[in-house]
Amino acid sequence: EGVPWDQFGFSLNGVRTEHMYLARCLKDENWQPGSIVPHEALQIEPASTVLNYGQALFEGLKALRREDGSITIFRPDANAKRMAMGAERLCIPPVPEDLFVNAVISTIQANSQWV
């Protein structure tokens, strides 16, 4: 009680960037490296478990632009570990840490004008 949750900014706040990172993991396989693609709607199989059972996983982090113009992200490896733990709890193949961190860095670079 008394926590100003609406001030934390855990949403996209109406911002839609031009690019996103897309990777695939087929049934009984591991995650494959993805790539930066134009931001567009995703095609989802109607029988997808995320629709039928509410099974979804989200891990958010922020990128900040420093005074010298460089961009920094705070401990993306910790976000990768949390996402892997969540994936295991949901019986989803965990995204390898290096794939997660590289996807974050690639997405930030592709959308750097928004940072």
Side-chain angles (χ1 to χ4, degrees):
E1 194 172 312
V3 177
W5 295 110
D6 59 337
Q7 295 177 14
F8 281 98
F10 293 131
S11 71
L12 294 176
N13 298 322
V15 174
R16 296 291 185 261
T17 61
E18 290 83 15
H19 305 94
M20 63 184 189
Y21 189 90
L22 184 63
R24 299 186 189 282
C25 180
L26 301 175
K27 184 178 179 181
D28 298 324
E29 293 185 16
N30 293 322
W31 283 94
Q32 300 301 309
S35 61
I36 297 294
V37 298
H39 188 269
E40 60 189 8
L42 298 175
Q43 292 184 348
I44 298 178
E45 165 62 42
S48 173
T49 57
V50 71
L51 299 175
N52 292 329
Y53 300 104
Q55 183 177 355
L57 183 60
F58 172 82
E59 181 64 37
L61 56 85
K62 291 186 179 182
L64 303 169
R65 189 169 299 274
R66 303 172 92 173
E67 288 184 19
D68 66 2
S70 64
I71 296 173
T72 187
I73 50 180
F74 181 69
R75 300 186 334 174
D77 55 321
N79 291 78
K81 287 180 177 78
R82 282 193 302 273
M83 186 157 188
M85 287 187 302
E88 289 179 15
R89 284 192 297 270
L90 291 172
C91 298
I92 298 172
V95 177
E97 184 175 329
D98 61 330
L99 179 59
F100 179 93
V101 172
N102 288 332
V104 167
I105 291 169
S106 297
T107 303
I108 290 169
Q109 288 172 338
N111 295 292
S112 63
Q113 72 274 17
W114 294 100
V115 179

